[in-house]
Amino acid sequence: MSKSGRYLLVPAAFFCVLNFSLAQTLPAAVTTGAHFGLLLLLFFFLRTVDLERVLPLVVAAVAVILFAYGILQKTLLFPRYLEWIRAGTDEFSRAIAIRVQSGRVFAIFTLPTLYAIVCAVLVLYILHFLVHSRGTSRWGWALLLLAGTANLFLTQSFGGAIYLAAGILAYLFFSGILTPRVLAPTLMGLFLFLFAITGLRFSEARRLDPARLRLTNWQQAVRLIAQNPWFGIGLGNYATEVSTVTQQNEARSIYAHNALLQEIAETGLVLNLFLLVLAWRYRRRIRPRFPRLHAHHLAVLMMLIIYNLIDIGIYFFSAGFLLVLALSQIYRRRTSSAMTWLIPALPLAVILVLVSLSRDALQDGRILLARGNPAGAGNRFAAALKWNPWNPAAHLAQAQVHLIEHRLEKAANAIAQALEIQPGAPYGHFLLSRVRLEQERFQDALYHAEWATLRRPAHAPYSRWARSLQSLLHHETAAETD
């Protein structure tokens, strides 16, 4: 490491310690820190590797799997899912039915919008390999391009159309192909693609629902920044704090749908001004060289910049990995110290795998609970806590099972553990209020009900619950004085 790099470690360490000390939920800060730390280490590792030889094979293999599964999901799996859940009356079945009936393909990902950016990146790389291929291989790349475009269309993502348009135009520009003769048909094709998606979701497009949702989420992020402008609310704590600034009738999301705004809300303006000064100081070093040689990676970088500005961005690992991959090849450095970066990445990867396994078990338990199987749900919640004992949502879910089965003391203990990990969890206070009411501890019940309302003021069920307890306590007090 250079001397200037060693000097930068001191303020970087100071900012990290300060930010962690401000986090209300420390496990969330650790998990998000591991997420971004792993991406950073992967960047330093991958920049030592020339991926150009293996990238075509990797892109082709991933594209075949994802695109085939996406088409299979639309044509075969979605109709079967609807048949299976048609008789379901629980909340989970209704939610899945609504999602499947929309017809929006998401393949192996959790959201169509996330699959859209992955599709767009794959389509861009496939276009690059198609342009530079010769002979019969061009037919293979052409078929993959057609399948990828079809998958992107099936996501019905407005953002996906924007990423594709920006990426293709950027690629044609950086590669020197963009001429007035090429520009006109390219724009026509891209606009046709966008209009076709708009037609599929015309009712939403007419009401400008996607734009309204983004504006609402951005406003919430700005409010959080205004409350804690200098040092932020703590890395990874956006999801736990955004409810405090969400107003009534606003769309609620645990993400800002703008990675930059969310990152500023979590880390503060001081750190970001420091990073901005560094970027200006080293602006000549970070200016990409040989843009024509790296045209495909620069185009992918353009896609991902837009994705980070209008969606969740690198807070999703798949999008973060794509960003790291593109940057590592743009700023490649020949060195023999690759393992120096890979070895410390392994424990961070283990942390994230355990967190993911815990999250999956928690989701399984919630599905079982929604379907009226509290015993099975309790087993899955216990498994979630086995993988990650610092998962507050799993503690609260386990407390919910205890409350259903009227094990009040166990429910209170589970909630206490959750609130020790995440002190401001509004649902935790609400659930503990219900437990205290069952135990006839009315003052405690009201106290935690008011805490839930304070932490999430725009949530009508919490405020109604607090008002009902206030009324109950008033009647109890009046009866005692009579």
Side-chain angles (χ1 to χ4, degrees):
M1 183 180 289
S2 65
K3 184 181 292 186
S4 60
R6 286 195 294 270
Y7 288 148
L8 290 175
L9 285 177
V10 176
F14 169 75
F15 282 126
C16 287
V17 172
L18 178 62
N19 190 258
F20 271 48
S21 68
L22 295 171
Q24 292 289 323
T25 309
L26 191 58
V30 172
T31 300
T32 309
H35 171 89
F36 287 118
L38 179 59
L39 290 177
L40 186 63
L41 291 171
L42 285 175
F43 165 73
F44 286 120
F45 168 70
L46 289 174
R47 73 189 297 226
T48 66
V49 180
D50 185 3
L51 296 177
E52 292 303 323
R53 292 183 178 180
V54 299
L55 193 60
L57 178 61
V58 172
V59 167
V62 173
V64 166
I65 294 170
L66 287 183
F67 297 162
Y69 186 74
I71 295 171
L72 185 69
Q73 190 176 68
K74 176 69 175 180
T75 57
L76 182 62
L77 297 181
F78 278 0
R80 288 196 175 187
Y81 291 157
L82 287 175
E83 289 179 8
W84 290 340
I85 63 181
R86 189 165 293 156
T89 57
D90 57 272
E91 183 180 347
F92 171 74
S93 296
R94 290 194 297 270
I96 292 297
I98 292 171
R99 185 168 183 178
V100 172
Q101 285 169 350
S102 72
R104 298 187 64 187
V105 167
F106 47 87
I108 63 173
F109 298 91
T110 53
L111 296 169
T113 52
L114 178 57
Y115 184 39
I117 184 62
V118 174
C119 268
V121 169
L122 287 173
V123 166
L124 195 283
Y125 279 132
I126 290 168
L127 176 65
H128 169 72
F129 298 138
L130 174 62
V131 168
H132 290 87
S133 63
R134 295 291 181 270
T136 56
S137 64
R138 301 195 74 176
W139 290 103
W141 290 118
L143 287 174
L144 275 181
L145 184 67
L146 182 62
T149 307
N151 269 258
L152 189 57
F153 178 74
L154 291 175
T155 65
Q156 301 178 32
S157 172
F158 295 118
I162 295 172
Y163 313 141
L164 182 67
I168 288 178
L169 291 174
Y171 175 72
L172 295 177
F173 173 76
F174 288 124
S175 60
I177 302 175
L178 190 64
T179 62
R181 185 176 179 179
V182 173
L183 180 61
T186 302
L187 288 176
M188 288 175 62
L190 293 172
F191 274 114
L192 178 62
F193 188 80
L194 177 60
F195 291 152
I197 291 178
T198 304
L200 289 176
R201 300 176 62 190
F202 181 70
S203 60
E204 296 174 64
R206 183 176 56 184
R207 297 191 305 266
L208 298 176
D209 285 349
R212 291 176 189 274
L213 173 65
R214 296 298 187 272
L215 288 172
T216 298
N217 294 145
W218 297 347
Q219 288 171 350
Q220 293 162 1
V222 169
R223 289 178 207 138
L224 269 186
I225 294 171
Q227 284 188 1
N228 309 272
W230 301 117
F231 301 107
I233 57 176
L235 190 66
N237 278 242
Y238 186 90
T240 62
E241 296 297 317
V242 69
S243 62
T244 63
V245 296
T246 303
Q247 297 177 358
Q248 199 166 6
N249 300 323
E250 282 188 343
R252 183 174 179 268
S253 174
I254 62 172
Y255 297 103
H257 286 90
N258 182 307
L260 180 60
L261 283 177
Q262 183 164 338
E263 184 268 330
I264 293 174
E266 292 183 349
T267 60
L269 292 171
V270 173
L271 174 61
N272 284 275
L273 288 173
F274 173 70
L275 295 175
L276 193 61
V277 169
L278 285 183
W280 176 257
R281 170 68 177 80
Y282 296 104
R283 63 190 182 279
R284 292 182 180 176
R285 290 190 186 182
I286 63 178
R287 183 180 299 164
R289 299 180 180 179
F290 313 114
R292 184 166 294 189
L293 182 64
H294 300 301
H296 49 315
H297 297 304
L298 287 169
V300 167
L301 182 60
M302 180 66 66
M303 284 180 169
L304 291 164
I305 288 173
I306 296 173
Y307 178 66
N308 277 274
L309 292 177
I310 66 174
D311 217 304
I312 296 167
I314 57 173
Y315 280 83
F316 274 146
F317 186 80
S318 52
F321 179 77
L322 291 173
L323 180 64
V324 162
L325 187 147
L327 286 173
S328 68
Q329 298 310 292
I330 294 170
Y331 300 106
R332 241 183 52 76
R333 182 179 179 183
R334 291 176 176 82
T335 177
S336 59
S337 59
M339 297 306 293
T340 305
W341 304 109
L342 192 59
I343 292 172
L346 294 177
L348 299 181
V350 169
I351 291 173
L352 294 176
V353 168
L354 292 176
V355 169
S356 179
L357 290 171
S358 177
R359 190 183 300 120
D360 290 344
L362 173 63
Q363 190 61 32
D364 290 342
R366 285 171 171 168
I367 293 170
L368 290 170
L369 191 61
R371 292 189 159 183
N373 184 0
N379 291 333
R380 297 310 297 155
F381 296 148
L385 291 171
K386 179 182 176 182
W387 292 116
N388 178 15
W390 298 278
N391 186 341
H395 283 292
L396 291 177
Q398 200 171 49
Q400 193 175 357
V401 173
H402 290 319
L403 183 58
I404 290 171
E405 297 180 346
H406 210 69
R407 296 192 293 263
L408 300 181
E409 200 57 42
K410 287 186 176 181
N413 291 337
I415 297 169
Q417 288 179 287
L419 291 177
E420 187 176 346
I421 298 167
Q422 186 181 334
Y427 182 66
H429 286 286
F430 170 72
L431 202 58
L432 188 54
S433 175
R434 289 177 54 190
V435 172
R436 295 308 186 205
L437 181 63
E438 290 284 336
Q439 294 174 327
E440 298 185 356
R441 296 170 58 175
F442 301 117
Q443 288 286 358
D444 281 354
L446 179 59
Y447 170 79
H448 288 288
E450 289 176 342
W451 252 106
T453 303
L454 181 67
R455 292 291 299 170
R456 195 175 171 190
H459 193 52
Y462 290 171
S463 57
R464 283 198 302 266
W465 176 256
R467 285 196 301 269
S468 67
L469 288 178
Q470 288 169 353
S471 177
L472 176 63
L473 192 60
H474 173 74
H475 288 309
E476 289 286 335
T477 306
E480 288 178 2
T481 53
D482 289 343

